[in-house]
Amino acid sequence: MTIDEKLQHFYEVSVEEAKEDAAKAIQEHRESLSQMLEDHKAARRQSAEAEVKAEAEHVRREINKALAAEQITLKRGWSKKQEELKETLFVEVKQKAQAFMETPEYMDYLCKQIQEVKSFAGEDEIQISLSSGDSSKLEALSQKTGAELTVSSDDFIGGIRAAIPQKNIMIDNSFLEGLESMRKEFKFDGGLKNE
């Protein structure tokens, strides 16, 4: 073999090895790129899933916030309507109490209240007051009950108030006190609280 042939053979072997090395390097590079692509796809998929999950959670929180705000608005409206109805109811109750005060039964009621307070006081001194609106009934009630009565400067709608100084007791059987007590205890799920 001549030097030219040897060089040619060396050249061919070298080129063949270079081609094989290049092919191998290209194949490894392709595999590496393919793996990088798969890793990138997986990372993007995870990232996209995380974004979707985060956005879904954000939307859920926003919906819950809006729902809570709407519930508060509804509760306020409901409470306001209940308060309006309660006011209307107690205006009617007050009117009925005032209508009752115009009947003969009201005089009987006052006599009964005065007798009960006198009985409770026993021998102790008692001060019984009528509402300023009942001043016209003072003499008739004093005669019927035998009690010394006074007229209060306050208009407590009707009924009586009494004090027993020796026992430090105040009795308030006024319609005003009864209405205020009922107003405080009134509930819409059945009327008055039963405790």
Side-chain angles (χ1 to χ4, degrees):
M1 239 193 213
T2 66
I3 291 187
D4 284 336
E5 289 175 340
K6 285 183 183 178
L7 279 173
Q8 184 60 35
H9 179 67
F10 177 73
Y11 174 77
E12 289 172 2
V13 169
S14 294
V15 167
E16 194 59 39
E17 280 183 19
K19 283 183 180 177
E20 286 175 12
D21 286 347
K24 196 180 205 184
I26 290 172
Q27 184 59 31
E28 287 175 0
H29 189 66
R30 279 187 180 148
E31 288 172 1
S32 174
L33 286 176
S34 179
Q35 185 59 44
M36 286 174 62
L37 178 63
E38 289 304 315
D39 290 348
H40 180 71
K41 283 181 181 178
R44 289 300 297 149
R45 195 176 302 114
Q46 284 179 339
S47 176
E49 287 172 1
E51 282 182 36
V52 167
K53 189 176 179 182
E55 189 60 29
E57 187 60 34
H58 174 72
V59 168
R60 192 173 7 263
R61 278 196 307 273
E62 289 300 313
I63 288 171
N64 286 342
K65 227 191 293 186
L67 182 62
E70 187 61 27
Q71 284 176 332
I72 289 170
T73 302
L74 289 173
K75 283 180 182 178
R76 283 184 185 147
W78 183 62
S79 293
K80 184 179 177 186
K81 188 63 176 174
Q82 278 187 329
E83 203 53 42
E84 289 171 6
L85 290 172
K86 186 176 176 179
E87 279 304 311
T88 302
L89 174 68
F90 279 96
V91 165
E92 288 179 25
V93 169
K94 183 177 179 182
Q95 289 170 347
K96 291 205 181 266
Q98 289 170 330
F100 170 70
M101 291 169 58
E102 301 302 319
T103 66
E105 288 82 16
Y106 178 60
M107 283 294 281
D108 296 337
Y109 170 80
L110 288 176
C111 288
K112 183 180 175 199
Q113 289 290 310
I114 292 167
Q115 294 300 342
E116 285 177 5
V117 168
K118 281 176 56 178
S119 175
F120 178 76
E123 297 299 317
D124 294 329
E125 175 192 346
I126 187 165
Q127 300 163 351
I128 303 173
S129 300
L130 299 175
S131 176
S132 62
D134 289 333
S135 60
S136 62
K137 298 173 178 65
L138 179 74
E139 283 196 35
L141 286 169
S142 290
Q143 288 176 359
K144 280 186 175 182
T145 61
E148 196 174 309
L149 305 173
T150 60
V151 175
S152 173
S153 59
D154 298 332
D155 182 12
F156 45 84
I157 303 175
I160 64 165
R161 288 182 177 164
I164 306 170
Q166 287 87 354
K167 293 182 180 175
N168 205 21
I169 294 176
M170 175 67 182
I171 300 169
D172 192 345
N173 287 340
S174 67
F175 287 1
L176 180 64
E177 178 61 28
L179 284 170
E180 289 304 314
S181 177
M182 282 190 282
R183 182 186 299 273
K184 287 177 190 169
E185 294 178 16
F186 185 80
K187 297 186 319 179
F188 269 95
D189 60 350
L192 298 176
K193 295 177 191 171
N194 291 326
E195 294 177 13

